[in-house]
Amino acid sequence: MYYRIGEMLEECEKDEIIRGDRQYVALLTSAEWEKEKDSFDMGIDIEPDLVEILSTQVEVNYDSLTGTFCIPDRNHLSGADRKFAFALDEKGVVFIDDSGAAKELIQAVQRSKKWRLPSLEL
């Protein structure tokens, strides 16, 4: 799934985000990431660990950031954490997720957020 960042997250096709006219959010499975990562041209030196996500962490690359999220469920602290990885540069952010956790968060943002000055930082 691909989104352009505007006043709201707008679903789009991959070729629309590769053009680079607006910042983007992409949601890929680990298999899709392995196949497509070079097309994002992010300057990644340190790949995010997709196999063993133990904590929330970030790695500084030459032209990007990579890392993982490990988010506990506040309602069920003894339950399984929500885990996914990411890659981020000035053009956009790619969430790498096989669990559906990142998709839920993106959809919640899509339903509830509206920005006046859209950017990756918001």
Side-chain angles (χ1 to χ4, degrees):
M1 300 182 84
Y2 303 95
Y3 305 87
R4 289 180 304 214
I5 299 175
E7 285 187 13
M8 299 186 79
L9 290 179
E10 304 161 5
E11 285 191 51
C12 66
E13 298 296 322
K14 182 180 179 185
D15 62 331
E16 293 177 73
I17 66 168
I18 298 300
R19 282 187 292 207
D21 57 340
R22 292 206 328 219
Q23 292 177 318
Y24 65 86
V25 175
L27 175 61
L28 305 176
T29 65
S30 56
E32 290 169 333
W33 170 251
E34 289 302 322
K35 190 169 111 179
E36 299 180 27
K37 63 184 169 186
D38 292 336
S39 67
F40 292 98
D41 191 32
M42 290 184 143
I44 294 174
D45 305 319
I46 304 168
E47 288 283 333
D49 185 354
L50 306 176
V51 177
E52 190 171 16
I53 299 174
L54 301 174
S55 65
T56 298
Q57 65 179 24
V58 67
E59 300 287 346
V60 178
N61 293 266
Y62 178 72
D63 266 350
S64 63
L65 300 173
T66 56
T68 57
F69 285 102
C70 184
I71 306 168
D73 183 343
R74 289 183 180 174
N75 298 321
H76 302 95
L77 293 177
S78 62
D81 295 338
R82 302 168 76 181
K83 300 177 181 183
F84 54 93
F86 71 92
L88 166 79
D89 69 3
E90 73 280 352
K91 298 176 295 250
V93 60
V94 179
F95 292 106
I96 308 149
D97 181 25
D98 293 325
S99 71
K103 181 177 182 178
E104 290 175 22
L105 294 171
I106 291 169
Q107 288 174 336
V109 168
Q110 187 180 28
R111 285 190 305 270
S112 63
K113 291 287 186 184
K114 187 171 182 180
W115 298 285
R116 290 187 188 158
L117 300 171
S119 69
L120 288 172
E121 295 84 12
L122 299 174

